[in-house]
Amino acid sequence: MKLALSIPIALLLSVSAHAQQAETKADSAPSTNRFQLERTEKGVVRLDTQTGAMTLCRDENGVLACRMQPDERAAYEQELERLEKRVTALEERLSHTPPNALPTDEEVDRSLSIMERFLRTFMGIVGEFQDKRDAQKPQPDRT
């Protein structure tokens, strides 16, 4: 049983360490460990040192199962509520849009004009690069 518990804990520690190394490399600034793991009688507690969020992880039939703590759960519920309101507002706004609202001819012409200007400018830049590259190539001796 101890071996079954120690393998998932070791896995969790190695994943946490790997994530910490990746975070440190990404930030390229020295930082302290973001997560602290503490073994308890009932499993492992993971503390996020940046946010203060705690997660309790337990061995359930050889699988490490982590559950959010009440404070973290409340924040999760608030975020869900905020997103639900946002989705409702977007759906409401979308419901006032005609189903097959096509752009007018003027809008299409304006869009095509913008694209044409963009492509002409872009192709001009590409042509300049090709001219520079051709100028750098050694010319064959015609004598």
Side-chain angles (χ1 to χ4, degrees):
M1 178 66 186
K2 284 189 175 190
L3 180 62
L5 181 60
S6 63
I7 290 173
I9 291 172
L11 248 165
L12 181 65
L13 289 172
S14 68
V15 167
S16 177
H18 179 69
Q20 182 66 37
Q21 288 172 352
E23 180 182 307
T24 302
K25 287 179 186 175
D27 293 343
S28 71
S31 66
T32 61
N33 291 338
R34 177 172 179 177
F35 297 102
Q36 289 181 355
L37 299 174
E38 288 292 326
R39 186 182 293 257
T40 66
E41 295 172 6
K42 297 181 180 181
V44 176
V45 174
R46 182 185 73 179
L47 170 66
D48 185 336
T49 58
Q50 289 182 2
T51 65
M54 291 178 52
T55 306
L56 179 60
C57 301
R58 294 184 180 154
D59 180 22
E60 295 178 2
N61 299 325
V63 176
L64 196 59
C66 297
R67 306 269 191 273
M68 289 185 269
Q69 296 305 300
D71 289 346
E72 190 175 349
R73 184 70 185 184
Y76 174 74
E77 293 293 337
Q78 287 175 350
E79 180 67 8
L80 276 180
E81 185 177 324
R82 185 188 70 78
L83 290 173
E84 285 173 355
K85 286 178 183 177
R86 186 174 174 200
V87 167
T88 302
L90 288 171
E91 287 174 342
E92 177 66 26
R93 198 168 91 196
L94 187 60
S95 71
H96 296 299
T97 304
N100 291 322
L102 295 175
T104 64
D105 287 343
E106 292 80 22
E107 291 171 328
V108 170
D109 289 342
R110 183 172 184 272
S111 297
L112 289 174
S113 173
I114 292 169
M115 285 298 296
E116 180 182 11
R117 257 189 322 199
F118 168 77
L119 288 173
R120 287 187 187 279
T121 303
F122 179 76
M123 294 307 290
I125 293 170
V126 169
E128 288 176 21
F129 282 120
Q130 285 179 331
D131 292 345
K132 286 180 183 177
R133 189 176 65 188
D134 291 344
Q136 291 174 351
K137 286 184 182 177
Q139 299 297 322
D141 191 15
R142 296 187 181 227
T143 55

